[in-house]
Amino acid sequence: MKDIYLKWIELGLIKRIVIGIMLGIILVIIAPEKASAVIILGDLFVGALKSIAPILVFFLVMAAVLQHKRGQKSNMKSIVILYLLGTFLAAVVAIIGSFMFPVELMLKAGEGSVVPPENVNQVVKGLMLNLVDNPVNALLKGNYIGILFWSILFGMILRDGKEETKQILIDISEIILKTVKVVIEFAPFGIMGLIFNSMKTSGIASLLAYGKLIVLLLACLAFVTFVINPLIAWFMIRQNPYPLVFKCLKYSGVTAFFTRSSAANIPVNMNLCKELGLDKDVYSVSIPLGATINTAGAAVTISVFTLSAAHTLGIQVDLLSAILLSILAAICACGASGVAGGSLLLIPLACSLFGIPNDIAIQVVGVGFIIGVIQDSCETALNSSTDVLFTSVAEYANWRKEGREIRFERIESVE
């Protein structure tokens, strides 16, 4: 058994995940009912990631802040600008794509009840209230804005604390990081359960009716992933960005695709940043922040669905309205939750810009839930992998200014 385990580990995480994907597909084809027990593996994996992520963020950010020396330079300003720029440009791409290839929807009421925000003020108010949420409640509910706020505040106060106290917190953060690595090792089995569950419950037939919409969404997401993001990265580092882009997709995008939750993928991204040799003081803050505000995929979803609804109803969208939609979609995307389907609930808010009735907008949300198995998976893969990409290029840009050579050998060696 030990020899089998060692050979399994030697395969590398991505190869093991591919095996898990193949096994999940095979099981759903040959034994969809008898193999239903494997679904619990996916639930356990996502549950473990979601459970450890808030604690990881809380202690890692606090440890990073209390070790930060006053006057020490940080890349956070550049990273936040990249997050916001990438989200806005994603909305622009989606709007241009929707104008070039307009799609009309077959509107059907979605299952379940949804309560979308009424206006942008409500989105911003929600973010501000989450900021000062009870710290214990923030940890229990996975409210990362609140977790970031309190952990940064505690860390700043602890700068003047006893060295023994500081060391204990640093040790705890290291223990949690090692625990995260253990959880990630079970990714192949968890993903096997997730893909089995997705294919068994959704199938392919229910997606064919919305083929044009799916193609438009995927095309926009792909353009942002392989054109817009690399252009931003090249502008920052003046070097071929694709080795870094593909590495982020390979190790962050794959797990995010199956978990469909940026929040659940935070431990994976932090582990990748550590393996890439990035500054822990920076990525321990930028990664959980990115899970909240770096949502280019959500901006694409909101824009495409809104304009599809407008095309369906015969509403003419002028240039000024398109620009306003880009801004509104970017703002709304930053308020999207880090859980599966979070961006869909913001579609009615964007639809209100064109006077689309709320009952029609809710039907559009229903369409989103129908194709969510593809839409939300690809959206989350883009969102989460971009967190690592922008965190990396911000640091590499500083290296370039300092005259240090940017080499990707370390990136290629991450396994």
Side-chain angles (χ1 to χ4, degrees), residues 79 83 273 278 283 286-287 387-395:
I79 294 171
Y83 283 169
C273 287
L278 302 181
Y283 73 70
S286 68
I287 294 301
D387 294 344
V388 181
L389 176 66
F390 286 165
T391 297
S392 302
V393 299
E395 184 161 334

Side-chain angles (χ1 to χ4, degrees), residues 110-127:
E111 297 181 0
S113 59
V114 293
V115 183
E118 296 177 355
N119 49 54
V120 177
N121 290 337
Q122 189 173 338
V123 175
V124 175
K125 180 182 178 181
L127 285 173

